[in-house]
Amino acid sequence: IVSPAPSLPGKGVTISGTFGSDAIEGGCAFLEAADGTRYQVLYPAGWTLERGPFRLIGPNGKVAASGGETIAVRGSLANDMASICQIGPIFRATEVVSVK
């Protein structure tokens, strides 16, 4: 689900979906929206991806999300970048909004 963020002018859009990964190029992370679009997300500084098990680590060093969980990120499409993952559009997140 991609939605405008009217309460945060200038902050872009919010994308919500399932956090996952595939085996392309050794494992590329994605966020799969309800419409099936897979976004390669560039997370804000301090957020890292771990493989085996696949999970998103927050700036505090704790696991924020594991594969299969729903997350929402705010930011904008990075139309100026190319990806080796070839998953779908690249989304440059400025904030991790929620994890469920």
Side-chain angles (χ1 to χ4, degrees):
I1 298 171
V2 179
S3 62
S7 61
L8 296 166
K11 296 286 186 178
V13 297
T14 299
I15 294 177
S16 176
T18 304
F19 180 61
S21 72
D22 62 21
I24 298 173
E25 295 294 331
C28 290
F30 60 81
L31 188 154
E32 185 169 351
D35 68 0
T37 302
R38 287 184 173 182
Y39 294 88
Q40 178 182 344
V41 178
L42 303 176
Y43 291 92
W47 292 84
T48 56
L49 294 169
E50 282 189 356
R51 309 214 186 317
F54 178 67
R55 50 197 188 167
L56 178 64
I57 308 299
N60 61 4
K62 296 185 179 187
V63 175
S66 297
E69 293 186 315
T70 299
I71 63 172
V73 293
R74 184 171 292 122
S76 61
L77 288 175
N79 295 323
D80 59 336
M81 300 182 73
S83 169
I84 61 169
C85 288
Q86 301 176 15
I87 288 174
I90 298 174
F91 190 83
R92 186 180 290 117
T94 56
E95 178 182 5
V96 176
V97 180
S98 67
V99 178
K100 296 178 185 177

